[in-house]
Amino acid sequence: MTTHRITGFREVEEAYRRPELKQALYNEGGILFDKVLVDLHGDEHRTRRSIESRLFRRNFFRQYEAEVFPRLMHGAIERYLLKEKMDFRDLGYRIMLNVALAFAGIDRQDNSDEEADTLHQLLSQLGLAATLGQYQGDKEPVKEEIRAALSKFQNDFFIPAKSRREALIEQFKAGAIEESDLPRDILTVLMTNDEKLKMPDELMMREVAFFYLASAHTSVHTMTHAIHEVFTWFERNDGEATSLSDDPLTLQKFVLESMRLHPASPEGWRETDQEVTLTEGKELRVGDDIVLDLQAANRDKDVFGVDAAEYNPFRDRVARTSPAGLSFGGGIHVCLGMNLVAGTLLKTDAEYDPENHQYGTITLILREMLRRGASPDPDQPPRKQANTLRDVWEIYPLQFTDIG
């Protein structure tokens, strides 16, 4: 068995699209990820993805960004932004909490602050499964913490949510309610397609937990990197970051450039299930491991220019290439929520339609922070996490001039 590291943008892009290469990034985190969507391959993956994609029907993202997300975001901000100084990561988790619950299909039981604290903690604990492959230290205590989190998630949240949806689905089958009255979430989609999927409850619980995690965890890391890049840019260029709150299209460019430089996972891992020769001539044998170096690929000078490693929100667009690079993956495993998080990706500014344009949830959150006069807390510098190969902020304290 040989390990191959692929660093070129076009080569990584091709590898994502080759069906001979199967997902391997979450092998260590099988406690949560075994047999969930992101771990599947081939026909099983196509079947489940096609079913879950029904949640994201036409105009879903536009309606969600325009109507649902602002309500959830402002509700969290008004509830938790109560002091002039606060850790942005913590606030980010509070904002994304209800978004993640709504996507996954988990209901709040009492809507208390204590319940929110529990759900916040569960997000952090479940998130450990995504980084086990890069964790440097004794992994057994971490695995036990993940198991305990899954058990609590199942008993306190999944089982009540599933019971409620079972009753609603029965009412729909009996003609007492319309299909539009059913919750619009992953759990409901899985349950209404149970005959085709035949998922055991334990797997369905982990699938829902995965979407709960994926809807919030990576977004928090992404928004923290993005706000840091915004502040750093304006510090270097003698400007006021708050000016971007009046220019969301430009702010979106700042966010997409940060996404390019800071993919949620620095690497994608694949393994071969049959021999394949890539376009560049690299020969892969059955069982070989492939490391897709997204940090390097997204900084490929042949694609993004000689300053590819630098943060430049005004760099020229590259034809047929996302300004976020390959940070959302590619091929059959491209992120289902990419449009919601990143917004509309324009080929040219001339395509911009302010009436229908989507800016993405990360841009909307940063815009609201800047509207409230957010800036780095001079008394407490930000700090990144240790014991992981991932580039992740542990805390990012901010101060605000307007919390009301």
Side-chain angles (χ1 to χ4, degrees):
M1 182 182 71
T2 304
T3 298
H4 307 267
R5 177 172 287 272
I6 302 178
T7 59
F9 185 92
R10 297 304 176 196
E11 290 75 25
V12 171
E13 188 176 43
E14 178 193 3
Y16 267 132
R17 292 173 177 167
R18 294 303 292 256
E20 302 92 344
L21 307 183
K22 60 185 295 187
Q23 173 71 271
L25 182 62
Y26 301 109
N27 288 356
E28 289 260 17
I31 299 169
L32 170 60
F33 292 104
D34 183 42
K35 297 293 185 181
V36 303
L37 179 68
V38 73
D39 186 57
L40 296 179
H41 188 67
D43 291 341
E44 194 175 5
H45 176 270
R46 279 188 289 273
T47 297
R48 195 180 303 172
R49 185 181 176 96
S50 67
I51 288 173
E52 293 179 345
S53 295
R54 296 172 190 175
L55 175 62
F56 311 113
R57 291 173 181 168
R58 192 175 184 179
N59 294 328
F60 170 81
F61 292 122
R62 186 182 304 167
Q63 178 189 11
Y64 200 92
E65 179 173 308
E67 300 174 16
V68 180
F69 181 75
R71 172 174 52 80
L72 296 175
M73 176 179 68
H74 288 290
I77 289 174
E78 296 305 323
R79 187 164 187 169
Y80 296 109
L81 185 53
L82 304 176
K83 298 179 293 185
E84 292 180 353
K85 295 187 177 184
M86 189 170 186
D87 177 18
F88 182 49
R89 284 190 76 255
D90 184 66
L91 181 58
Y93 272 116
R94 303 294 182 170
I95 293 172
M96 294 305 300
L97 181 67
N98 287 334
V99 176
L101 292 172
F103 266 118
I106 297 298
D107 307 315
R108 294 288 295 269
Q109 301 301 308
D110 59 25
N111 207 35
S112 66
D113 288 346
E114 291 76 17
E115 182 183 65
D117 289 340
T118 297
L119 288 162
H120 182 187
Q121 182 180 17
L122 286 174
L123 267 180
S124 297
Q125 292 170 321
L126 295 174
L128 297 172
T131 59
L132 269 176
Q134 294 87 32
Y135 186 79
Q136 297 177 316
D138 185 1
K139 297 182 181 181
E140 284 308 312
V142 181
K143 290 180 179 180
E144 284 302 314
E145 186 173 356
I146 298 167
R147 290 189 187 99
L150 280 171
S151 178
K152 187 170 185 61
F153 179 81
Q154 179 174 18
N155 294 326
D156 293 1
F157 298 102
F158 174 77
I159 291 175
K162 187 170 184 288
S163 295
R164 173 174 172 261
R165 281 155 184 76
E166 284 173 342
L168 290 171
I169 291 170
E170 286 303 315
Q171 291 179 47
F172 166 63
K173 289 180 178 178
I177 61 175
E178 300 295 327
E179 185 177 11
S180 59
D181 295 320
L182 295 175
R184 196 170 183 181
D185 53 51
I186 288 295
L187 178 53
T188 303
V189 169
L190 296 178
M191 293 175 66
T192 53
N193 289 274
D194 184 57
E195 289 188 9
K196 190 170 186 178
L197 292 172
K198 301 186 185 309
M199 294 177 71
D201 271 7
E202 190 273 340
L203 175 55
M204 187 179 292
M205 179 274 294
R206 287 190 290 106
E207 183 85 349
V208 172
F210 159 67
F211 272 93
Y212 175 51
L213 173 65
S215 299
H217 199 60
T218 55
S219 289
V220 172
H221 297 322
T222 299
M223 69 178 71
T224 310
H225 279 300
I227 205 165
H228 176 74
E229 293 289 8
V230 167
F231 290 143
T232 302
W233 168 271
F234 280 93
E235 181 180 353
R236 290 173 179 168
N237 291 277
D238 298 322
E240 292 293 333
T242 53
S243 65
L244 285 179
S245 65
D246 296 323
D247 189 356
L249 184 61
T250 300
L251 178 56
Q252 185 187 16
K253 294 177 182 178
F254 275 71
V255 169
L256 292 171
E257 175 73 346
S258 178
M259 289 176 174
R260 180 183 70 85
L261 292 177
H262 306 286
S265 174
E267 297 174 345
W269 295 354
R270 294 291 187 271
E271 58 188 16
T272 54
D273 61 2
Q274 55 184 292
E275 291 188 1
V276 59
T277 300
L278 301 181
T279 300
E280 63 170 3
K282 187 183 295 294
E283 296 182 355
L284 307 177
R285 297 181 178 179
V286 175
D288 280 359
D289 293 326
I290 301 92
V291 178
L292 308 179
D293 190 334
L294 301 184
Q295 294 274 19
N298 283 353
R299 291 168 168 77
D300 190 331
K301 293 180 180 179
D302 291 337
V303 175
F304 296 102
V306 294
D307 66 341
E310 301 173 15
Y311 181 78
N312 176 12
F314 300 105
R315 73 174 59 253
D316 292 336
R317 291 183 178 88
V318 180
R320 299 183 301 280
T321 302
S322 166
L326 292 167
S327 294
F328 289 93
I332 60 174
H333 281 288
V334 68
C335 177
L336 277 171
M338 179 177 65
N339 290 342
L340 180 67
V341 175
T344 305
L345 303 182
L346 302 176
K347 294 180 181 178
T348 68
D349 283 351
E351 294 182 341
Y352 176 56
D353 177 4
E355 296 299 320
N356 296 301
H357 187 80
Q358 292 174 236
Y359 301 99
T361 54
I362 304 300
T363 297
L364 296 182
I365 292 171
L366 262 63
R367 186 185 190 190
E368 189 62 27
M369 296 299 100
L370 297 175
R371 278 177 171 172
R372 292 170 181 267
S375 62
D377 182 352
D379 300 321
Q380 189 178 11
R383 182 177 68 247
K384 290 187 176 181
Q385 286 184 5
N387 298 323
T388 180
L389 296 176
R390 294 195 177 200
D391 183 20
V392 177
W393 292 99
E394 183 173 358
I395 60 169
Y396 204 97
L398 295 180
Q399 62 182 7
F400 298 86
T401 59
D402 181 8
I403 63 173

